[in-house]
Amino acid sequence: MTKYKILEILRNNDENFISGELLSSRLGVSRTAIWKGINSLKEKGYKIEGIRNKGYRLTYDKEDIISEYEIKNMFSCKELGRKIYCFEKINSTNTYVKENNNFLKHGDVIIADEQTRGRGRNEKIFYSPKESGVYMSIFLKKNIFYDSLKLLSIASFLSVCKAIEKYTGFSPNLNWNDIGINEKKICGILTEGSFEGETGRIEYIVIGIGINVNNLDFPKNLKDKNTSLRLELNKEINRTKLISQILDEIENLICNKKYISNRKKILKEYIERTKIIGKNIEIKVMNKKIIGKVIGINELGGLIISKSNKKLEVIYNGELKICEE
């Protein structure tokens, strides 16, 4: 797009003024198109000074702008993010995928600066205020198998944890249902899919990721249970760089040719990070509760639970609660 080509030229001129005429000549567009591009960049948050007979210069570069251009400048993905759809406001990135899957292609990424109806597990609302978090969905149509759906969710959690570690230098806690810091939630992941008829063939999978990044406050009902990277690390986080790191980590793990053959390694790392072995837990499965002690994880990513001297293997998408000893 013209505006990002303008931005690239301004960035490469070390804050020197560059005339509208020169920009027009370099890009092969009208002066009106240059003027519209400059105004669009200003609306996005870039600080651009314009002086008659001198031109334009970039005085403040707001890198934390959610745009396809900024993200692609930072990541090294080849399969994910070939097309990135960015929205200032949307109801839910996962919902958008489900409503528009007919034209989306494998690896497409949907990102919003704000969600009005962000969704978590069991249709819970995920608080998604403007310019505060990472709200994104990844659309997959390759390398997905019915017996590896839980593995996909597990690999997504691991990827996000690693991305946060590499970018911030801080290791968050990986819980069974979410990612947290100091017993408070910072990230939730919702994996959904579409299955064709009686065959059960997977049409597509969408990985929805929501992270509290630069939130400074939460509603009363969330304050005791949620926190953000900024609150915990006491510094502002560049969301664009974090998104790029997450996409790199997911591609390295899930789009890897050895993804399925690395199943045992992935599950081993996950169970070690959750530190759930030996814990007494309560799981809600459908309308039933299962209470027991975790003694392992099976090949499908389900927990192996000891209950009344019997072994139960449970794969679920519900709530898990760690019980006090």
Side-chain angles (χ1 to χ4, degrees):
M1 296 176 66
T2 299
K3 63 184 175 183
Y4 292 120
K5 291 179 180 178
I6 295 172
L7 177 62
E8 191 169 341
I9 292 173
L10 295 179
R11 278 178 170 166
N12 291 332
N13 276 271
D14 298 323
E15 295 189 5
N16 294 318
F17 283 96
I18 184 166
S19 71
E21 183 179 357
L22 183 55
L23 287 170
S24 176
S25 176
R26 283 194 189 181
L27 298 179
V29 298
S30 67
R31 292 288 297 273
T32 300
I34 297 299
W35 179 78
K36 288 182 178 179
I38 292 290
N39 284 338
S40 180
L41 289 170
K42 287 180 178 179
E43 290 174 0
K44 287 285 186 181
Y46 297 99
K47 302 298 182 183
I48 299 173
E49 182 181 8
I51 297 180
R52 185 184 295 274
N53 297 325
K54 291 187 71 174
Y56 305 98
R57 69 171 181 171
L58 189 64
T59 59
Y60 175 69
D61 196 350
K62 188 178 180 183
E63 293 180 332
D64 192 31
I65 289 176
I66 304 298
S67 73
E68 182 178 34
Y69 172 81
E70 295 291 4
I71 295 167
K72 284 189 173 181
N73 269 350
M74 296 180 184
F75 73 4
S76 58
C77 293
K78 294 181 179 179
E79 189 168 337
L80 300 184
R82 290 178 182 174
K83 179 62 181 177
I84 301 175
Y85 297 87
C86 297
F87 298 91
E88 290 186 6
K89 182 187 289 189
I90 200 173
N91 56 358
S92 157
T93 57
N94 266 31
T95 299
Y96 179 90
V97 170
K98 294 170 77 173
E99 292 176 348
N100 298 280
N101 69 85
N102 58 313
F103 73 81
L104 294 175
K105 296 180 180 179
H106 171 74
D108 284 353
V109 178
I110 314 301
I111 302 175
D113 206 28
E114 178 184 4
Q115 292 184 127
T116 57
R117 293 187 62 83
R119 295 188 293 113
R121 289 175 179 271
N122 301 321
E123 295 301 319
K124 290 184 178 179
I125 298 296
F126 186 87
Y127 181 57
S128 314
K130 183 179 180 181
E131 297 182 347
S132 297
V134 166
Y135 321 120
M136 62 188 290
S137 294
I138 302 169
F139 184 71
L140 300 177
K141 297 197 76 170
K142 299 178 183 178
N143 210 18
I144 49 177
F145 309 96
Y146 187 80
D147 64 352
S148 297
L149 294 181
K150 186 61 181 178
L151 180 69
L152 183 67
S153 177
I154 285 172
S156 300
F157 273 107
L158 284 176
S159 298
V160 173
C161 271
K162 290 178 180 180
I164 292 172
E165 287 173 350
K166 288 185 178 180
Y167 179 57
T168 69
F170 180 85
S171 296
N173 302 320
L174 178 54
N175 306 314
W176 190 258
N177 291 323
D178 53 50
I179 297 171
I181 298 177
N182 296 328
E183 298 184 0
K184 288 187 176 183
K185 179 178 179 178
I186 61 166
C187 171
I189 297 178
L190 178 61
T191 304
E192 300 180 294
S194 176
F195 306 88
E196 293 184 346
E198 296 179 357
T199 64
R201 191 180 77 84
I202 302 173
E203 184 180 2
Y204 68 83
I205 291 292
V206 53
I207 303 171
I209 301 169
I211 308 175
N212 302 327
V213 181
N214 289 318
N215 311 59
L216 292 175
D217 200 7
F218 292 90
K220 288 183 179 180
N221 63 319
L222 297 177
K223 277 188 176 182
D224 294 336
K225 297 179 180 179
N226 288 260
T227 187
S228 71
L229 289 171
R230 184 172 182 176
L231 286 173
E232 297 301 320
L233 304 180
N234 197 31
K235 65 178 181 180
E236 188 170 357
I237 304 298
N238 185 302
R239 293 176 300 155
T240 300
K241 291 181 179 178
L242 181 57
I243 289 169
S244 302
Q245 188 72 61
I246 290 169
L247 292 175
D248 278 337
E249 292 298 325
I250 289 178
E251 175 154 308
N252 289 340
L253 187 58
I254 294 174
C255 300
N256 191 311
K257 291 181 180 180
K258 296 182 178 180
Y259 164 56
I260 298 299
S261 61
N262 283 337
R263 178 191 297 268
K264 289 184 178 180
K265 182 180 178 182
I266 293 170
L267 294 175
K268 182 175 182 292
E269 181 178 357
Y270 180 73
I271 207 73
E272 287 175 351
R273 280 179 176 260
T274 58
K275 300 177 182 177
I276 201 171
I277 297 293
K279 297 286 187 180
N280 291 314
I281 62 167
E282 176 185 299
I283 298 177
K284 292 181 181 178
V285 182
M286 302 298 285
N287 294 322
K288 298 180 180 180
K289 288 184 180 180
I290 297 175
I291 299 175
K293 179 178 286 188
V294 179
I295 59 175
I297 190 169
N298 64 24
E299 289 188 353
L300 298 180
L303 291 179
I304 302 174
I305 301 168
S306 174
K307 176 180 173 62
S308 302
N309 296 320
K310 295 182 180 180
K311 286 186 180 180
L312 301 175
E313 298 190 13
V314 183
I315 298 176
Y316 74 105
N317 291 309
E319 295 294 327
L320 180 149
K321 177 182 178 183
I322 305 294
C323 304
E324 294 184 3
E325 301 293 337

